[in-house]
Amino acid sequence: MLKLYIGNKNYSSWSMRPWVLMKEAGIDFQEVMVPFDSFDADSHFKKTIGALNPAGRVPVLVDGEIVVYDTLAICEYLAETHPDHALWPRDKALRAHARSVCAEMHAGFAALRTHCGMNIEADLRVQGKIILRDQPQVRADLARIVQMWSGLLEAHGGPMLFGAFGIADAYFAPVGVRIKTFGLPVPAGIATYIERVQQLPGVKAWIEEALVEKRFVVMDEPYRITG
Ligand SMILES: N[C@@H](CCC(=O)N[C@@H](CS)C(=O)NCC(=O)O)C(=O)O
């Protein structure tokens, strides 16, 4: 059976993507959680994950002898090995577009990722206001997200970015979580899309499991001084 190595559900946005993708698509896998202790070379996390993935990061997918690391590579591998699941859109032009927005997420949105780290159980709306006020690049990232999602939802009529749920929705699921945690303002149609994604059974399961995790990791809590 496939094995997916992940980090903490509350914090690990990269781990969330292939996990919710496989859950939603009904692809069986075994989850192996390696909680974040620290990212020092001698940490339990680095020693365990480093033995599989020399880059020392999660997620990592293990399929027998094959080890795939890095989220985009994992999603591509799953799409290739599960052609019946239409993880990418079947239409060539839509598939190219879906790949483009995932690559854009993979390589971009640095300000949003830096200032608004995923933290499912937290309420950081006060911090969100300050970040939006002080960080023009976060405002620009958010504007690009709104522009992208509005355009896709309008072009394909929803309910997901490319019609049916796929890799693109899994890719942006943690962005929806950040928007909610930090109370970032978005138009009603975008808020509805975020809610719709969070009600998908696979996404809902991740969020529920994150909420009961209760492992406070200081390095992932730049704004909080108490649990
Ligand atoms: N490009 C990688 C990024 C993965 C990543 O940064 N994962 C974080 C957890 S969300 C991690 O393992 N961090 C460990 C570190 O920074 O040393 C991917 O797409 O999977």
Side-chain angles (χ1 to χ4, degrees):
M1 191 194 286
L2 291 171
K3 266 191 197 174
L4 183 70
Y5 288 77
I6 62 169
N8 299 41
K9 290 201 171 94
N10 190 49
Y11 302 114
S12 185
S13 58
W14 290 111
S15 302
M16 181 180 184
R17 294 173 166 105
W19 194 99
V20 301
L21 180 69
M22 286 196 278
K23 285 282 177 196
E24 268 311 298
I27 298 171
D28 263 358
F29 68 100
Q30 183 194 340
E31 167 193 315
V32 184
M33 183 186 286
V34 184
F36 297 150
D37 46 349
S38 88
F39 294 152
D40 293 344
D42 63 350
S43 63
H44 177 256
F45 175 81
K46 282 290 179 192
K47 281 192 195 148
T48 310
I49 295 302
L52 284 169
N53 166 14
R57 288 170 186 249
V58 284
V60 182
L61 182 74
V62 178
D63 183 9
E65 298 293 301
I66 300 174
V67 177
V68 196
Y69 59 88
D70 208 282
T71 306
L72 206 43
I74 293 171
C75 292
E76 288 289 4
Y77 182 82
L78 290 169
E80 185 185 304
T81 49
H82 297 79
D84 295 344
H85 289 69
L87 300 181
W88 290 121
R90 295 212 189 277
D91 177 83
K92 184 177 168 183
L94 292 191
R95 194 162 62 248
H97 196 172
R99 280 196 161 111
S100 299
V101 295
C102 289
E104 186 179 346
M105 176 74 246
H106 205 81
F109 299 104
L112 185 69
R113 280 161 45 194
T114 304
H115 295 286
C116 303
M118 191 170 89
N119 193 334
I120 292 177
E121 60 91 26
D123 177 351
L124 298 172
R125 286 177 292 179
V126 171
Q127 290 83 345
K129 279 200 174 71
I130 297 167
I131 292 164
L132 268 190
R133 184 196 67 195
D134 295 347
Q135 302 294 338
Q137 206 46 51
V138 173
R139 294 199 294 274
D141 281 355
L142 183 65
R144 172 61 192 133
I145 289 285
V146 168
Q147 177 199 47
M148 180 202 291
W149 293 359
S150 306
L152 291 171
L153 291 168
E154 199 177 315
H156 308 122
M160 297 290 134
L161 294 177
F162 289 88
F165 176 87
I167 293 173
D169 302 290
Y171 240 81
F172 287 104
V175 174
V177 168
R178 291 164 198 247
I179 288 173
K180 271 182 80 174
T181 297
F182 287 87
L184 305 181
V186 290
I190 298 298
T192 306
Y193 166 70
I194 292 172
E195 240 8 90
R196 205 180 291 137
V197 169
Q198 296 192 0
Q199 288 310 314
L200 294 171
V203 180
K204 209 171 171 192
W206 176 280
I207 291 173
E208 283 170 3
E209 290 171 34
L211 290 174
V212 296
E213 204 169 59
K214 305 277 180 224
R215 285 196 182 106
F216 188 85
V217 178
V218 172
M219 67 184 172
D220 277 304
E221 299 279 354
Y223 301 111
R224 296 168 90 199
I225 49 171
T226 60

